[in-house]
Amino acid sequence: MPRTRLSALDASFLRVESPTAHMHVAWKGRFRPLPGRPLPTLELLRRSIAARVAHAERFRQRLAFPPGGLGEPVWVDDEHFCVEHHVRAFSADDDVLDRRDFDALADRALSEPLDRRRALWRVHLAPRLDDGTVGLVMQVHHAMVDGQSAVELALLLLDVAPDAEVPDTPVAWRPAPAPSPTRLAVEALADAGAESLRAARSAARTARSPRASVRIADTLRRTALTLGEDVLRPAPSSYVNVPIGPRRTLVHHTTALGPLLELRRRLHVTLNDVCLAAVAGAMRELALRGGVAPAPMKVMVPVSRRGADEATDLGNRIAFVFVELPVHLARAADRVAAVHAATSRFKRDDRASGGEALLGALGVLPEPLRDRAARLAASPRMYNMVVSNVQGPRFPVHLLGCELLEAAPVIPLSDGHALSVGIFSHRDTITFGAYADPTALPDVADLPGALSAALLALQGLVSRGRDHGPRLAYVAPEVRDHADGTRFDREPVQALRR
């Protein structure tokens, strides 16, 4: 069976990883034990996961790198795989762990990179927390999953039914022998030749098909627009773009989803618009508390490009779009309208398709240029921070008979970025996870409170305009200066007027 080779996008997350920038996505969750069910233990969790990895090969595979950088790495069976290495406990089964201690242990785990010599995932269990819940932290390398496939991966560990049985003995499986360096080199050269042949055949078909030529011309137009609007426009300087170390902290705020859905409906915007506006308000508050003048930020927003038939595929199926986060606007109404105007513009221009085409072009670059392109794409020049919104299941899920209460997402930090924000909705709640270097950004502890205040300000737009609802109007365009002294005209920004 042919081995699965990482795509250029998957491999880019290996290229930008460093001792201070660990490229794992993760989540920290809490579960509520259900009446009549035995409490979870480390042994039960290991048995449950061991029974599943026999049917989910990526869980028990590691990366193998062709010699001399001849191609991207491939997934091979980990001959030394053992569940005990990947599934660990923060405390003994009978020990009660304080919530603050759980958070500190989770931060410590999230500050450690995954070992590339092994399967690229890890789970930590806290069987007893002092509030009666069960804690869990799961890490998976970004080369293996994007945000949406990470959810699918987590669902492989969780159950829909609260009374799912744990097998007494796992299904046996035998790892395939590891390929030799020579074999890896030969396969890499063969794959490169096959890719060149496919490209040549595709070009020949295009030359004979006017319709295909039109599609390519349209893709080139969108790619050029993305290049001009997103890639070549530098991000402004920001207090979140500083040198970082390896330490990480995850703080979060969970709130009811219903009021935000009502806000979306009343304002005729999307839930993502509401969430981005909330982040803008929180970042404004954080800047003011730190004595920094609130200024717009260029944020990277991953957009899923998965089709319905790719929902459970691993790897990355994403494009990146860039949005100006209106941190400088004082009114919640202006912030949500500005975000809506920006997101509507990139949807109208289909810049996600252009971004996808640019990312796809990584695969045709020579090896040294791939490294440079990946590092440039992850640099502070390109964006100030990442804000990623991932939709979770709308139904209950369980871990060993315990129901998931909340899950705070982790979006990895590349060098020069002290903060990222992940947003995860599950059933009737939504959680904002702020992941940061606590040394570079000590004020991150204030972000949950700032997010709460920003969300309340947004919800107030509906309560104050309940009779007729707010409507959209335009304010006059303005001219602003970049931090580097260059000037640009800002498009008219929509504002909410009642």
Side-chain angles (χ1 to χ4, degrees):
M1 179 181 295
R3 278 177 269 273
T4 301
R5 190 172 304 279
L6 269 66
S7 69
L9 176 56
D10 293 341
S12 70
F13 294 107
L14 298 173
R15 297 175 188 278
V16 301
E17 192 164 45
S18 75
T20 54
H22 314 141
M23 288 293 110
H24 50 251
V25 296
W27 57 278
K28 178 176 71 176
R30 287 191 308 120
F31 297 79
R32 176 178 58 213
L34 298 179
R37 293 286 300 173
L39 293 175
T41 65
L42 177 61
E43 179 58 30
L44 272 176
L45 181 61
R46 283 176 171 171
R47 277 172 45 198
S48 175
I49 291 177
R52 299 168 195 244
V53 295
H55 306 288
E57 65 177 4
R58 192 69 81 243
F59 269 81
R60 47 184 170 81
Q61 290 183 320
R62 63 173 178 85
L63 290 173
F65 294 80
L70 287 176
E72 305 296 7
V74 294
W75 293 106
V76 300
D77 285 349
D78 182 356
E79 312 94 311
H80 305 293
F81 177 84
C82 64
V83 168
E84 289 75 15
H85 175 82
H86 295 275
V87 184
R88 308 172 184 178
F90 285 139
S91 58
D93 290 340
D94 295 330
D95 289 347
V96 177
L97 197 62
D98 183 272
R99 278 283 302 278
R100 289 173 297 182
D101 291 338
F102 169 59
D103 290 340
L105 289 168
D107 287 349
R108 186 183 302 173
L110 293 170
S111 300
E112 298 175 358
L114 294 168
D115 186 350
R116 292 193 187 184
R117 297 169 301 177
R118 298 179 179 269
L120 292 176
W121 62 275
R122 186 165 56 210
V123 171
H124 283 90
L125 176 70
R128 310 282 186 278
L129 299 182
D130 60 356
D131 61 359
T133 62
V134 175
L136 187 86
V137 174
M138 181 178 183
Q139 297 162 263
V140 188
H141 202 284
H142 213 330
M144 184 173 168
V145 294
D146 56 30
Q148 195 59 53
S149 60
V151 172
E152 301 296 338
L153 194 64
L155 290 177
L156 288 175
L157 301 182
L158 306 178
D159 296 295
V160 175
D163 55 354
E165 294 295 328
V166 177
D168 291 329
T169 56
V171 178
W173 64 276
R174 178 176 298 176
S180 67
T182 301
R183 186 66 184 173
L184 289 171
V186 169
E187 289 179 355
L189 291 173
D191 286 349
E195 184 63 31
S196 298
L197 182 59
R198 283 192 294 268
R201 288 174 175 171
S202 176
R205 286 194 300 269
T206 299
R208 296 192 300 266
S209 172
R211 182 176 298 177
S213 299
V214 170
R215 286 198 303 270
I216 289 178
D218 192 47
T219 298
L220 289 174
R221 178 190 62 79
R222 291 194 296 265
T223 304
L225 184 62
T226 301
L227 189 66
E229 291 292 321
D230 296 335
V231 177
L232 297 181
R233 177 177 291 180
S237 60
S238 172
Y239 65 95
V240 301
N241 298 128
V242 293
I244 62 173
R247 284 186 61 212
R248 296 292 181 269
T249 188
L250 174 64
V251 297
H252 67 278
H253 173 67
T254 300
T255 189
L257 182 59
L260 302 189
L261 295 177
E262 174 65 11
L263 181 65
R264 174 196 67 177
R265 186 186 68 82
R266 294 291 300 277
L267 301 185
H268 305 289
V269 297
T270 67
L271 179 60
N272 198 49
D273 292 340
V274 173
C275 291
L276 286 170
V279 174
M283 295 305 296
R284 175 182 176 82
E285 178 65 20
L286 206 65
L288 292 172
R289 291 183 187 184
V292 178
M297 302 175 71
K298 183 183 179 184
V299 297
M300 177 191 285
V301 181
V303 175
S304 176
R305 305 297 288 175
R306 291 180 181 274
D309 58 341
E310 299 175 305
T312 59
D313 290 352
L314 299 184
N316 289 269
R317 302 288 189 276
I318 51 177
F320 299 112
V321 296
F322 299 87
V323 177
E324 183 182 90
L325 205 64
V327 179
H328 61 298
L329 297 180
R331 299 175 67 248
D334 294 336
R335 289 193 294 269
V336 71
V339 167
H340 180 64
T343 57
S344 297
R345 190 161 57 248
F346 79 64
K347 290 174 186 175
R348 181 185 66 239
D349 297 337
D350 196 13
R351 295 217 300 273
S353 293
E356 186 176 31
L358 283 174
L359 290 173
L362 285 174
V364 302
L365 293 175
E367 184 66 24
L369 290 182
R370 291 190 195 185
D371 276 343
R372 293 178 59 185
R375 293 193 184 102
L376 174 62
S379 71
R381 183 191 182 281
M382 190 66 65
Y383 64 93
N384 298 121
M385 60 184 279
V386 177
V387 180
S388 181
N389 191 352
V390 177
Q391 181 176 322
R394 289 288 183 261
F395 47 83
V397 292
H398 304 84
L399 173 76
L400 301 174
C402 302
E403 183 181 348
L404 179 64
L405 290 178
E406 66 178 5
V410 166
I411 308 301
L413 302 178
S414 58
D415 279 318
H417 298 87
L419 176 68
S420 65
V421 177
I423 305 164
F424 180 75
S425 54
H426 165 244
R427 297 195 69 187
D428 55 357
T429 64
I430 188 166
T431 298
F432 293 74
Y435 188 56
D437 177 343
T439 303
L441 194 67
D443 290 344
V444 69
D446 296 331
L447 202 50
L451 280 164
S452 177
L455 288 164
L456 287 174
L458 286 167
Q459 293 170 33
L461 298 177
V462 172
S463 61
R464 290 196 301 269
R466 189 169 299 279
D467 292 337
H468 303 289
R471 59 185 176 84
L472 290 173
Y474 282 97
V475 298
E478 60 182 14
V479 177
R480 291 189 290 104
D481 291 336
H482 269 312
D484 61 5
T486 60
R487 295 172 67 83
F488 66 97
D489 293 326
R490 187 139 79 92
E491 294 185 16
V493 175
Q494 291 179 314
L496 292 168
R497 305 297 186 210
R498 280 173 295 279

